[in-house]
Amino acid sequence: MKIDTTNAPETNLYHRLPQVGEFLNGARVRPLLERYARPVVADAARAFLAGLREEIARGTVDEEALRGSIEQMPDGVAALIEASEGNALRAVINATGVILQTNLGRAPLSERAIEAIASVARGYCNLEYDLERGERGRRGAYAEQLLLRALDRGAQDRGAQDRGAQDGAALVVNNCAAATFLALNTMAEGGEVIVSRGELVEIGGGFRVPDILRKSGARLREVGTTNRTRIEDYAAAINEDTRMILRVHRSNFEIVGFTEQPGLDELVRLGSDAGVPVFEDQGTGCMIAPEACGLGAQSSFARSVRSGAALVCASGDKLMGGPQCGLLAGEARMIRKLRDNPLYRALRVDKLTYAALEATLLAYVSGQAETLPVVRMLATPPERIRQRCEEWARALVSEKVSAEVIATESVVGGGTAPGTTLPRARGP
Ligand SMILES: *Cc1c(COP(=O)(O)O)cnc(C)c1O
């Protein structure tokens, strides 16, 4: 019997593909086998051949192209192995104009923070060991101290707090969402938390205040309306089940027009009269005067803590310019309860985070905030940015890529300063 294959030319092409075993025994694959284990090379060869099979099925190769590909197979297989050995996570250029881009990893770290990470990553470190006393120490104690100092809330500030014997304390967890969750669960499980309807927000990445609150075991007591909530609304909602008043910073949107919202200090006064602690999810972690870096009348972590709120939390990798973490500062007895909650164990951070956080906070404590890339970028004058853009444009044009500098405004991003834009490069 004679089989006519002229109507199925691709069938012939499939027959040209080498067997994996045949490929592995070839002379040209020997250098690869010296560098990589045989199963690794075999897997990559299989993947390479699967790619060719797909091309044949799609009809995108003819006999000659296929012969070329098979000829190149050792190089192709080597490239596949190398690609699979590289990190998926790698450096990119952020040309979005958004300084804090969650998709691009938020805050770049300072050189000092990077060195600190490298130094504790390479070997062992005194994560839970007190070198001076020569005994077991508490993880994060120094970072907490630095945070309090950076928040200008250390020992020298205590007298001014007018809060009796309650000292300030701090705690570090995995991110701001974890901080909020831990605080709500510790302070309000089984009770009510009063929140303005204008603050029942979604911050992004699935962080929704009502959902976090429910999961924490607290009951949501909504007050006011989307655009207007008065201090009387809060006052009227307080009852014996009230455990907390929650204030959430509107990090990524603004309500404009016919609006009203009591200041944090008003809430603190109400809470103190009624014996209800006030907790603010401040979010941005701004440690310096927001006006100083063109952010306008924004809320700041330091200011919120100084307002006398029982507890304030913020992200470490937004305006603070540090590693991803959630920072809590407030009354010592609150922080103690948070630390004693078994959940804290599940939300704590590792040595790398503490290393980077300490270095970041040291920059604030020692008056060197401009060594932090985020702070530096925020403070860069538009004129300097225009120069940089022009240099880029010139370089691109000289590579025959058309480029032109145009004036624009950029946002800070990362859920920090809604409605605030930074003046950026102006055109010629
Ligand atoms: C950004 C932000 C969060 C979430 O912070 P993560 O560190 O990403 O968990 C929560 N609340 C507010 C107000 C925020 O701005």
Side-chain angles (χ1 to χ4, degrees), residues 102-172:
T102 300
N103 300 156
L104 302 182
R106 289 196 189 156
L109 295 177
S110 68
E111 283 309 314
R112 199 166 166 176
I114 294 162
E115 282 162 23
I117 290 177
S119 121
V120 300
R122 206 164 281 126
Y124 301 104
C125 69
N126 58 331
L127 180 64
E128 292 183 357
Y129 197 83
D130 188 326
L131 292 176
E132 257 148 51
R133 292 196 195 154
E135 60 190 45
R136 191 161 188 273
R138 193 164 55 72
R139 172 188 294 242
Y142 183 53
E144 291 161 13
Q145 237 181 59
L146 282 177
L147 175 59
L148 292 176
R149 273 166 63 197
L151 286 167
D152 193 24
R153 234 190 94 95
Q156 71 275 26
D157 215 27
R158 276 180 207 155
Q161 292 297 313
D162 193 25
R163 294 229 236 104
Q166 289 150 4
D167 290 345
L171 194 67
V172 182

Coordinates of all heavy atoms in Angstrom, one line a residue, residues 102-172:
T102 N 2.4 51.1 43.7 CA 2.3 49.8 44.3 C 2.7 48.7 43.4 O 3.4 47.7 43.8 CB 0.9 49.6 44.9 OG1 0.6 50.7 45.8 CG2 0.7 48.3 45.6
N103 N 2.3 48.8 42.1 CA 2.6 47.8 41.1 C 4.1 47.6 40.9 O 4.6 46.6 40.4 CB 2.0 48.1 39.8 CG 0.5 48.1 39.9 OD1 -0.2 48.7 39.1 ND2 -0.1 47.5 40.9
L104 N 4.9 48.7 41.2 CA 6.3 48.7 41.0 C 7.1 48.6 42.3 O 8.3 48.9 42.3 CB 6.8 49.9 40.2 CG 6.1 50.1 38.8 CD1 6.6 51.4 38.1 CD2 6.3 48.9 37.9
G105 N 6.4 48.2 43.3 CA 7.1 47.9 44.6 C 7.2 49.1 45.6 O 8.1 49.1 46.5
R106 N 6.4 50.1 45.3 CA 6.4 51.3 46.2 C 7.8 51.9 46.5 O 8.5 52.2 45.5 CB 5.8 51.0 47.6 CG 4.2 50.8 47.4 CD 3.5 50.9 48.8 NE 2.1 50.5 48.6 CZ 1.4 50.0 49.6 NH1 1.9 49.8 50.8 NH2 0.1 49.7 49.4
A107 N 8.2 52.1 47.7 CA 9.4 53.0 48.0 C 10.7 52.3 47.7 O 10.9 51.2 48.2 CB 9.4 53.4 49.5
P108 N 11.6 52.9 46.9 CA 13.0 52.4 46.8 C 13.7 52.7 48.1 O 13.4 53.7 48.7 CB 13.6 53.2 45.7 CG 12.5 54.0 45.1 CD 11.4 54.1 46.1
L109 N 14.5 51.8 48.6 CA 15.2 52.0 49.9 C 16.4 52.9 49.8 O 17.1 53.0 48.7 CB 15.6 50.6 50.4 CG 14.4 49.7 50.8 CD1 14.9 48.4 51.3 CD2 13.5 50.3 51.8
S110 N 16.9 53.4 50.9 CA 18.1 54.2 50.9 C 19.3 53.3 50.9 O 19.2 52.1 51.2 CB 18.2 55.0 52.2 OG 18.3 54.1 53.3
E111 N 20.4 53.8 50.5 CA 21.7 53.0 50.4 C 21.9 52.3 51.8 O 22.3 51.2 51.9 CB 22.9 53.8 50.0 CG 22.9 54.2 48.5 CD 22.8 52.9 47.7 OE1 23.5 51.9 48.0 OE2 22.0 52.9 46.7
R112 N 21.7 53.1 52.8 CA 22.0 52.7 54.2 C 21.1 51.5 54.5 O 21.5 50.5 55.2 CB 21.8 53.8 55.2 CG 22.4 53.6 56.5 CD 22.5 54.8 57.3 NE 22.8 54.5 58.6 CZ 23.0 55.3 59.6 NH1 22.9 56.6 59.4 NH2 23.3 54.9 60.8
A113 N 19.8 51.6 54.1 CA 18.9 50.5 54.4 C 19.3 49.2 53.6 O 19.2 48.1 54.1 CB 17.5 50.9 54.0
I114 N 19.7 49.4 52.4 CA 20.2 48.3 51.6 C 21.4 47.6 52.2 O 21.4 46.4 52.3 CB 20.5 48.7 50.1 CG1 19.2 49.2 49.5 CG2 21.1 47.6 49.3 CD1 19.4 50.1 48.2
E115 N 22.3 48.4 52.7 CA 23.5 47.9 53.3 C 23.1 47.1 54.6 O 23.7 46.0 54.9 CB 24.5 49.0 53.7 CG 25.3 49.5 52.5 CD 26.0 50.8 52.8 OE1 26.1 51.2 54.0 OE2 26.3 51.5 51.8
A116 N 22.2 47.7 55.3 CA 21.7 47.0 56.6 C 21.1 45.7 56.3 O 21.4 44.7 57.0 CB 20.7 47.9 57.3
I117 N 20.3 45.6 55.2 CA 19.7 44.3 54.8 C 20.8 43.3 54.5 O 20.8 42.2 55.0 CB 18.8 44.4 53.6 CG1 17.5 45.2 54.0 CG2 18.4 43.1 53.1 CD1 16.6 45.5 52.9
A118 N 21.8 43.7 53.7 CA 22.8 42.8 53.2 C 23.6 42.3 54.4 O 24.0 41.2 54.5 CB 23.8 43.5 52.2
S119 N 23.9 43.2 55.4 CA 24.7 42.9 56.5 C 24.1 41.8 57.4 O 24.7 41.0 57.9 CB 25.3 44.1 57.2 OG 24.9 44.1 58.5
V120 N 22.8 41.9 57.6 CA 22.2 40.9 58.5 C 21.8 39.7 57.7 O 21.6 38.6 58.3 CB 20.9 41.4 59.3 CG1 21.3 42.6 60.2 CG2 19.8 41.8 58.4
A121 N 21.7 39.8 56.4 CA 21.2 38.7 55.6 C 22.4 37.6 55.4 O 22.2 36.4 55.3 CB 20.8 39.1 54.2
R122 N 23.6 38.2 55.4 CA 24.8 37.3 55.1 C 25.1 36.3 56.1 O 25.5 35.2 55.9 CB 26.0 38.2 54.8 CG 27.0 37.6 53.9 CD 28.0 38.7 53.4 NE 27.4 39.5 52.3 CZ 27.4 40.8 52.3 NH1 27.8 41.5 53.3 NH2 26.9 41.4 51.3
G123 N 24.8 36.7 57.4 CA 25.2 35.7 58.5 C 24.1 35.7 59.5 O 22.9 36.0 59.3
Y124 N 24.5 35.5 60.7 CA 23.6 35.5 61.9 C 23.5 37.0 62.4 O 24.4 37.8 62.1 CB 24.1 34.6 63.0 CG 24.2 33.2 62.5 CD1 25.4 32.6 62.2 CD2 23.1 32.4 62.3 CE1 25.5 31.3 61.8 CE2 23.1 31.1 61.8 CZ 24.4 30.5 61.6 OH 24.5 29.3 61.1
C125 N 22.5 37.2 63.2 CA 22.4 38.6 63.8 C 21.7 38.5 65.1 O 21.1 37.4 65.5 CB 21.6 39.5 62.8 SG 19.9 39.1 62.7
N126 N 21.7 39.5 65.9 CA 21.2 39.5 67.2 C 19.7 39.9 67.2 O 19.2 40.7 68.0 CB 21.9 40.5 68.1 CG 21.9 41.9 67.6 OD1 21.8 42.1 66.4 ND2 21.9 42.9 68.4
L127 N 18.9 39.2 66.4 CA 17.5 39.5 66.2 C 16.7 39.5 67.5 O 16.0 40.4 67.9 CB 16.8 38.5 65.2 CG 15.3 38.7 65.0 CD1 15.1 40.1 64.3 CD2 14.8 37.6 64.1
E128 N 17.0 38.4 68.3 CA 16.3 38.3 69.6 C 17.3 38.0 70.7 O 17.2 37.2 71.5 CB 15.3 37.2 69.5 CG 14.1 37.5 68.6 CD 13.0 36.4 68.6 OE1 13.2 35.4 69.3 OE2 12.0 36.6 67.9
Y129 N 18.4 38.8 70.6 CA 19.5 38.6 71.6 C 20.0 40.0 72.0 O 20.3 40.8 71.2 CB 20.6 37.8 71.1 CG 21.5 37.3 72.2 CD1 21.1 36.1 72.9 CD2 22.7 37.9 72.5 CE1 21.9 35.7 73.9 CE2 23.5 37.5 73.6 CZ 23.1 36.3 74.3 OH 23.9 35.9 75.3
D130 N 20.0 40.3 73.3 CA 20.5 41.5 73.8 C 22.0 41.4 74.1 O 22.5 40.7 75.0 CB 19.8 41.9 75.1 CG 20.1 43.3 75.6 OD1 21.3 43.7 75.4 OD2 19.2 44.0 76.2
L131 N 22.8 42.0 73.2 CA 24.3 41.8 73.3 C 24.9 42.4 74.5 O 25.9 42.0 75.1 CB 25.0 42.4 72.0 CG 24.7 41.7 70.7 CD1 25.3 42.4 69.5 CD2 25.1 40.2 70.8
E132 N 24.3 43.5 75.0 CA 24.8 44.2 76.2 C 24.6 43.4 77.4 O 25.5 43.2 78.3 CB 24.3 45.6 76.3 CG 25.3 46.6 75.9 CD 24.6 47.9 75.3 OE1 23.7 48.4 76.0 OE2 25.0 48.3 74.2
R133 N 23.4 42.9 77.6 CA 23.1 42.1 78.8 C 23.5 40.7 78.7 O 23.5 39.9 79.6 CB 21.6 42.2 79.1 CG 21.1 43.5 79.4 CD 19.8 43.5 80.1 NE 19.2 44.8 80.1 CZ 17.9 45.0 80.1 NH1 17.0 44.0 80.1 NH2 17.4 46.2 80.2
G134 N 23.7 40.2 77.4 CA 24.1 38.8 77.2 C 23.0 37.9 77.5 O 23.2 36.8 78.1
E135 N 21.8 38.3 77.2 CA 20.7 37.4 77.4 C 19.6 37.6 76.2 O 19.8 38.5 75.4 CB 20.0 37.7 78.7 CG 19.5 39.1 78.8 CD 19.0 39.5 80.3 OE1 19.8 39.2 81.2 OE2 18.0 40.1 80.4
R136 N 18.6 36.8 76.3 CA 17.6 36.8 75.2 C 17.0 38.2 75.2 O 16.7 38.8 76.3 CB 16.5 35.8 75.5 CG 15.6 35.6 74.4 CD 14.9 34.3 74.4 NE 14.1 34.1 73.2 CZ 12.9 34.5 73.0 NH1 12.3 35.2 74.0 NH2 12.3 34.4 71.9
G137 N 16.8 38.8 74.0 CA 16.2 40.1 73.9 C 14.9 40.1 73.1 O 14.6 39.0 72.6
R138 N 14.2 41.2 73.1 CA 13.0 41.3 72.3 C 13.2 41.7 70.9 O 13.8 42.8 70.7 CB 12.0 42.2 73.1 CG 10.6 42.0 72.6 CD 9.6 42.6 73.5 NE 9.9 44.0 73.8 CZ 9.7 45.0 73.0 NH1 9.3 44.8 71.8 NH2 10.0 46.3 73.3
R139 N 12.7 41.0 70.0 CA 12.8 41.3 68.6 C 12.2 42.7 68.3 O 11.1 43.1 68.8 CB 11.9 40.3 67.8 CG 11.7 40.5 66.3 CD 10.7 39.5 65.8 NE 11.3 38.2 65.8 CZ 11.4 37.4 64.8 NH1 11.1 37.9 63.6 NH2 11.9 36.2 64.9
G140 N 12.9 43.6 67.6 CA 12.3 44.8 67.2 C 12.4 46.0 68.2 O 11.9 47.1 67.9
A141 N 12.9 45.7 69.4 CA 12.9 46.7 70.5 C 13.5 48.0 70.0 O 13.0 49.1 70.3 CB 13.5 46.2 71.7
Y142 N 14.6 47.9 69.3 CA 15.4 49.1 68.9 C 14.6 49.9 67.8 O 14.5 51.1 67.9 CB 16.8 48.8 68.4 CG 17.6 50.0 68.1 CD1 17.8 51.0 69.0 CD2 18.3 50.0 66.8 CE1 18.6 52.1 68.6 CE2 19.0 51.1 66.5 CZ 19.2 52.2 67.4 OH 20.0 53.2 67.1
A143 N 14.0 49.2 66.9 CA 13.3 49.8 65.8 C 12.1 50.5 66.4 O 11.7 51.7 66.0 CB 12.8 48.8 64.8
E144 N 11.4 49.9 67.4 CA 10.3 50.6 68.1 C 10.7 51.9 68.7 O 10.0 52.9 68.6 CB 9.7 49.7 69.1 CG 9.0 48.4 68.5 CD 8.8 47.3 69.4 OE1 8.9 47.5 70.7 OE2 8.4 46.2 69.0
Q145 N 11.9 51.8 69.4 CA 12.4 53.0 70.1 C 12.7 54.1 69.0 O 12.4 55.3 69.2 CB 13.7 52.6 70.7 CG 13.9 52.8 72.1 CD 15.3 52.4 72.5 OE1 16.3 52.9 72.0 NE2 15.4 51.4 73.4
L146 N 13.3 53.7 67.9 CA 13.6 54.7 66.9 C 12.4 55.3 66.3 O 12.3 56.5 66.0 CB 14.4 54.0 65.8 CG 15.9 53.7 66.0 CD1 16.5 53.0 64.8 CD2 16.7 55.0 66.2
L147 N 11.4 54.5 66.1 CA 10.1 55.0 65.6 C 9.6 56.1 66.5 O 9.2 57.2 66.1 CB 9.1 53.9 65.4 CG 7.7 54.3 64.9 CD1 7.8 55.1 63.6 CD2 6.7 53.2 64.8
L148 N 9.6 55.8 67.8 CA 9.1 56.8 68.8 C 9.9 58.1 68.7 O 9.3 59.2 68.7 CB 9.0 56.2 70.2 CG 8.0 55.1 70.4 CD1 8.2 54.5 71.8 CD2 6.6 55.6 70.2
R149 N 11.2 57.9 68.6 CA 12.0 59.1 68.5 C 11.8 59.8 67.3 O 11.7 61.1 67.2 CB 13.5 58.7 68.6 CG 14.0 58.6 70.1 CD 15.3 57.9 70.2 NE 16.4 58.6 69.6 CZ 17.6 58.0 69.3 NH1 17.8 56.8 69.6 NH2 18.5 58.7 68.7
A150 N 11.7 59.1 66.2 CA 11.4 59.7 64.9 C 10.1 60.5 64.9 O 9.9 61.5 64.3 CB 11.5 58.7 63.7
L151 N 9.1 59.9 65.6 CA 7.8 60.6 65.7 C 7.8 61.7 66.7 O 6.8 62.3 67.1 CB 6.8 59.5 66.1 CG 6.3 58.5 65.1 CD1 5.5 57.4 65.7 CD2 5.5 59.2 64.0
D152 N 9.0 62.0 67.2 CA 9.2 63.1 68.2 C 8.3 62.8 69.4 O 7.7 63.7 69.9 CB 8.8 64.4 67.5 CG 9.2 65.6 68.4 OD1 10.2 65.4 69.2 OD2 8.6 66.6 68.2
R153 N 8.4 61.6 69.8 CA 7.5 61.2 70.9 C 8.2 60.4 71.9 O 7.7 59.7 72.7 CB 6.4 60.3 70.3 CG 5.0 60.7 70.6 CD 4.1 59.6 70.1 NE 3.9 58.7 71.2 CZ 2.8 58.8 72.0 NH1 1.9 59.7 71.7 NH2 2.6 57.9 73.0
G154 N 9.5 60.6 72.0 CA 10.3 59.9 73.0 C 10.1 60.5 74.4 O 9.2 61.2 74.6
A155 N 11.1 60.2 75.2 CA 10.9 60.6 76.6 C 10.7 62.1 76.8 O 9.9 62.5 77.6 CB 12.2 60.2 77.4
Q156 N 11.4 62.9 76.1 CA 11.4 64.3 76.2 C 10.0 64.9 75.9 O 9.6 65.9 76.4 CB 12.4 65.1 75.4 CG 12.1 65.1 73.9 CD 12.6 63.8 73.2 OE1 12.8 62.8 73.8 NE2 12.9 63.9 71.9
D157 N 9.2 64.1 75.2 CA 7.9 64.6 74.7 C 6.8 64.1 75.7 O 5.7 64.6 75.6 CB 7.6 64.0 73.3 CG 6.8 65.0 72.5 OD1 7.0 66.2 72.8 OD2 6.1 64.6 71.6
R158 N 7.1 63.2 76.6 CA 6.0 62.5 77.3 C 5.2 63.5 78.2 O 4.0 63.5 78.3 CB 6.6 61.5 78.3 CG 6.8 60.2 77.5 CD 7.4 59.1 78.5 NE 8.1 58.1 77.7 CZ 9.1 57.4 78.2 NH1 9.4 57.6 79.5 NH2 9.7 56.5 77.5
G159 N 6.0 64.4 78.8 CA 5.3 65.4 79.7 C 4.3 66.2 79.0 O 3.2 66.5 79.6
A160 N 4.5 66.5 77.8 CA 3.7 67.3 77.0 C 2.4 66.6 76.6 O 1.4 67.2 76.1 CB 4.4 67.9 75.8
Q161 N 2.4 65.3 76.8 CA 1.2 64.6 76.2 C 0.0 64.7 77.1 O -1.1 64.4 76.7 CB 1.6 63.1 76.1 CG 2.6 62.8 75.0 CD 2.1 63.2 73.7 OE1 0.9 62.9 73.3 NE2 2.9 63.9 72.9
D162 N 0.1 65.1 78.4 CA -1.0 65.3 79.3 C -1.8 64.0 79.3 O -3.1 64.0 79.1 CB -1.8 66.5 78.8 CG -2.9 66.8 79.9 OD1 -2.6 66.5 81.1 OD2 -3.9 67.4 79.6
R163 N -1.2 62.9 79.4 CA -1.9 61.6 79.4 C -1.6 60.8 80.6 O -1.5 59.6 80.6 CB -1.6 60.8 78.1 CG -2.1 61.5 76.9 CD -2.8 60.5 76.0 NE -2.2 60.5 74.7 CZ -1.5 59.5 74.3 NH1 -1.2 58.5 75.1 NH2 -0.9 59.5 73.1
G164 N -1.3 61.5 81.7 CA -1.0 60.8 82.9 C 0.2 59.9 82.8 O 1.2 60.3 82.2
A165 N 0.1 58.7 83.3 CA 1.2 57.8 83.4 C 1.4 57.0 82.1 O 2.2 56.1 82.0 CB 1.1 56.9 84.5
Q166 N 0.6 57.3 81.1 CA 0.6 56.4 79.9 C 1.8 56.8 79.0 O 1.8 57.9 78.3 CB -0.7 56.5 79.1 CG -1.8 55.8 79.8 CD -3.1 56.5 79.5 OE1 -3.2 57.4 78.7 NE2 -4.2 56.0 80.1
D167 N 2.8 56.0 78.9 CA 3.9 56.3 78.0 C 3.6 55.8 76.6 O 2.7 55.0 76.4 CB 5.1 55.5 78.5 CG 5.7 56.0 79.8 OD1 5.3 57.1 80.1 OD2 6.5 55.3 80.4
G168 N 4.3 56.4 75.6 CA 4.1 56.0 74.3 C 4.8 54.7 74.0 O 5.8 54.4 74.7
A169 N 4.3 53.9 73.1 CA 5.0 52.7 72.7 C 4.7 52.4 71.2 O 3.9 53.1 70.6 CB 4.5 51.5 73.5
A170 N 5.4 51.5 70.6 CA 5.3 51.2 69.2 C 5.4 49.7 68.9 O 5.9 49.0 69.7 CB 6.3 52.0 68.4
L171 N 4.9 49.3 67.7 CA 4.9 47.9 67.4 C 5.0 47.9 65.8 O 4.5 48.7 65.1 CB 3.6 47.3 67.8 CG 3.6 45.7 67.8 CD1 4.6 45.2 68.8 CD2 2.2 45.2 68.2
V172 N 5.7 46.9 65.3 CA 5.9 46.7 63.9 C 5.2 45.4 63.4 O 5.5 44.3 64.0 CB 7.4 46.7 63.5 CG1 7.5 46.6 62.0 CG2 8.0 48.0 64.0

